[in-house]
């Protein structure tokens, strides 16, 4: 399973590396929500709402998560892993790429604000 996760992760970096910037460029609300801490990256590879969140923010997060799931599904199939394995590894990588001031969810479920040090990630992350 670990090999499949690592293999999926490498492909995930490429897929998300292309998908996430494109999403951010298309929707300035995404970038604003990341910057103000309304949303954050979760270990399962999806975005989460940190607190509150009106209907517009919920729709934004839902739309991005649907797009991510499609990428994960396509890539997992091509790489011979499960969607969950691929999404988990993508989550590990996405959390690693958060910038200081951005939110992410720690393995214990708490929301953290990234500082200058490495983020707290699941021990199973590659």
């Amino acid at each position: 399973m670990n090999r499949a996760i690592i293999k999926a992760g490498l492909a995930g970096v490429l897929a998300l590396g292309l998908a996430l910037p494109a999403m951010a460029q298309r929707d300035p609300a995404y970038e604003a929500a990341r910057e103000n801490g309304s949303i954050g990256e979760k270990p399962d590879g999806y975005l989460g709402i940190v607190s509150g969140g009106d209907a517009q923010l919920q729709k934004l997060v839902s739309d991005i998560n649907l797009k991510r799931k499609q990428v994960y599904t396509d890539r997992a199939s091509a790489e011979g892993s499960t969607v969950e394995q691929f999404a988990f590894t993508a989550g590990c990588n996405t959390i690693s790429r958060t910038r200081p001031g951005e939110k992410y969810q720690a393995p214990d479920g708490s929301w953290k604000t990234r500082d200058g040090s490495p983020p707290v990630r699941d021990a199973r992350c590659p």
Side-chain angles (χ1 to χ4, degrees):
M1 181 171 135
N2 285 340
R3 277 190 182 175
I5 290 174
I6 291 169
K7 187 176 177 183
L10 295 175
V13 170
L14 177 60
L16 279 177
L18 298 173
L20 291 178
M23 282 187 256
Q25 289 173 0
R26 282 195 304 263
D27 196 339
Y30 167 77
E31 196 62 37
R34 283 182 68 94
E35 288 176 7
N36 70 26
S38 298
I39 61 173
E41 295 295 338
K42 295 177 16 179
D44 64 3
Y46 298 95
L47 279 177
I49 296 176
V50 176
S51 63
D54 59 14
Q56 184 177 7
L57 183 63
Q58 290 173 2
K59 183 178 179 343
L60 173 72
V61 168
S62 178
D63 288 347
I64 290 172
N65 284 339
L66 286 171
K67 290 174 185 172
R68 286 186 181 189
K69 185 166 186 168
Q70 185 60 55
V71 169
Y72 299 157
T73 300
D74 294 345
R75 298 300 306 168
S77 177
E79 299 297 325
S81 67
T82 69
V83 174
E84 292 78 18
Q85 288 171 328
F86 194 92
F88 173 79
T89 303
C92 292
N93 294 326
T94 304
I95 288 172
S96 289
R97 289 193 312 268
T98 55
R99 298 180 299 228
E102 292 181 338
K103 298 282 189 181
Y104 69 94
Q105 194 173 42
D108 67 3
S110 65
W111 287 102
K112 306 275 187 194
T113 301
R114 177 78 187 263
D115 57 19
S117 61
V120 178
R121 297 187 318 150
D122 192 294
R124 298 171 294 160
C125 286

